[in-house]
Amino acid sequence: MQEGGNMEILLKFFYATGELLLMIGPWLLLGFFLSGVIHAWVGGETIKKHLGGGISSVFKATLFGIPLPVCSCGVIPIAASMRKDGAGRSSTLSFLVSTPTTGVDSILATYALMGPLFAIFRPVAALFSGILVGVISYAFEREKPSSVTFHARHAVSMQKKLKEIFRYGFVELPEDVGKSLLFGILLGGLITAVIPGGIFEKHFSNPWIVYPLVLLFSVPLYVCAMGSIPVAASLVMKGLTPGAALTFLIAGPATNTITIIFIGQKLGKKSLFIYLFSIILISLGMGIIFDGIWNMMGRNPELITSRGEYLPYPVKLLSALVLLFLLLRTPRWGRKKKMEMKYTVKVPDMHCRHCKFTIEEKISSLPGVKRVVVDLEEKKVMVDGDVRKEDIKRAVEEAGYTVED
């Protein structure tokens, strides 16, 4: 009897996981493409140009951050580089909050799995979060506007831009979010298969209990904006109040131990307190407002349920297979080959594929560099060519990272 029950749960798990892939696949591929367009046409230099301090930079940093498909780990070196080039503390905090909370890819995926109300509220929450943390920081710390070191971008041909769109959208971005997204999909399938329906309505209906519990779970957790979606969708299906799910969607991607340590060390304890206070206030407040609006609309389930299922099945199936290929092709199996390289430097604050591509691109632009290999697990950068080690270190630091000898 026990064996039959386990088999039934296993079958439910595979079915639920497959359904999640079918629903999210087309929208996620579209999001990857749009993310590549934003990356190729906007670029990090344009972002840094407008964030030199002052209250206007808070709004600019927030608006810049919302559509960017950068995870809570990948946003750290960008923020560090912005800060080093002269971006204000308040605008840096705004960027750190609004960027990982949402993006064009996660907005589309949220619509596909969780419906239009969540898809609208999520970027709105990112907007309010970024503005709130920036305004509070500006009010308490009164920074003066500063000039930003800005290097104009060289003209790039249309062919190179198109190549960059597909490289970033369908290579770098899947490598960056692939592990978190796969984990989120599998966890969502497991929740659907294992947790009984209505358990949250029965045992966690009191908002004064469920909201703090969700927040306590979300703040230290590392989860990207994409990976949080299937988890939240599965919890809502099991009866978790939609507002509590929105709290998780806001606080989960915006906070984690890595970001908390970075803010404390680079921006100070006061900025860290403002950052955490603003995230907690916005995530709880938006969750409560979300539930209130949903109740006013008659608790219509169409507003908070999947929209991906309305696409033709062949489109969903092909998209799911392509998505699986992109996500599963990123891990490198087998033993690492030993390579003879001229220089090796330690970069302790590399955490994701975004870090890898950023450093590779920066060092490769140095004259005389023949080959660059970044080992994320060992936190090492190996370089071969006719170049000085001091120039390599400087390039890593200009990319927003630190170097250890």
Side-chain angles (χ1 to χ4, degrees), residues 84-364:
K84 185 177 180 181
D85 283 349
R89 183 180 282 104
S90 54
S91 58
T92 303
L93 280 175
S94 296
F95 188 79
L96 277 168
V97 170
S98 64
T99 304
T101 308
T102 187
V104 290
D105 53 347
S106 62
I107 292 172
L108 291 170
T110 302
Y111 176 80
L113 279 184
M114 305 189 72
L117 203 57
F118 274 106
I120 293 172
F121 256 77
R122 204 173 187 191
V124 169
L127 176 67
F128 279 106
S129 299
I131 292 175
L132 179 65
V133 69
V135 168
I136 294 176
S137 174
Y138 181 79
F140 277 89
E141 301 181 273
R142 287 294 178 183
E143 282 188 304
K144 295 180 180 179
S146 59
S147 59
V148 178
T149 303
F150 176 70
H151 306 284
R153 303 180 76 193
H154 298 291
V156 180
S157 67
M158 180 62 67
Q159 183 179 357
K160 288 186 176 181
K161 281 191 175 183
L162 290 174
K163 184 178 178 180
E164 180 64 12
I165 288 172
F166 286 94
R167 186 202 67 81
Y168 181 82
F170 296 100
V171 177
E172 179 176 345
L173 195 54
E175 287 187 353
D176 193 14
V177 304
K179 186 183 296 184
S180 296
L181 183 57
L182 276 174
F183 177 76
I185 292 172
L186 293 173
L187 183 57
L190 185 64
I191 290 171
T192 303
V194 174
I195 297 180
I199 188 173
F200 289 101
E201 291 176 333
K202 185 177 181 180
H203 298 286
F204 298 97
S205 58
N206 189 338
W208 298 105
I209 296 177
V210 68
Y211 279 98
L213 282 176
V214 169
L215 195 60
L216 186 65
F217 171 74
S218 303
V219 169
L221 182 70
Y222 177 81
V223 57
C224 71
M226 290 300 307
S228 63
I229 299 169
V231 178
S234 300
L235 289 173
V236 171
M237 288 173 60
K238 294 300 179 180
L240 182 68
T241 171
L246 182 68
T247 297
F248 170 70
L249 288 172
I250 298 170
T255 59
N256 60 71
T257 52
I258 298 173
T259 306
I260 290 171
I261 292 171
F262 169 80
I263 294 175
Q265 291 179 345
K266 300 295 184 181
L267 301 179
K269 293 181 179 179
K270 184 185 290 186
S271 294
L272 177 59
F273 175 79
I274 293 171
Y275 167 81
L276 291 174
F277 172 79
S278 301
I279 291 294
I280 291 171
L281 184 64
I282 284 292
S283 60
L284 289 177
M286 293 299 291
I288 293 170
I289 293 172
F290 187 95
D291 276 341
I293 291 177
W294 188 54
N295 289 329
M296 288 173 57
M297 293 181 171
R299 302 172 68 89
N300 184 359
E302 292 293 319
L303 297 173
I304 59 167
T305 52
S306 168
R307 285 297 182 271
E309 60 188 24
Y310 297 112
L311 293 173
Y313 184 80
V315 173
K316 294 192 292 184
L317 180 60
L318 179 60
S319 299
L321 293 175
V322 172
L323 177 62
L324 267 180
F325 170 76
L326 292 175
L327 299 181
L328 293 176
R329 67 182 288 272
T330 54
R332 295 180 179 179
W333 306 100
R335 295 182 179 179
K336 297 175 183 178
K337 296 180 180 179
K338 292 184 178 180
M339 292 168 289
E340 294 294 331
M341 306 291 276
K342 190 173 182 180
Y343 300 111
T344 298
V345 295
K346 187 86 170 177
V347 184
D349 46 0
M350 293 191 302
H351 301 288
C352 64
R353 294 285 177 179
H354 177 83
C355 306
K356 176 180 180 295
F357 277 103
T358 301
I359 292 174
E360 283 178 344
E361 185 177 12
K362 191 70 177 179
I363 296 178
S364 297

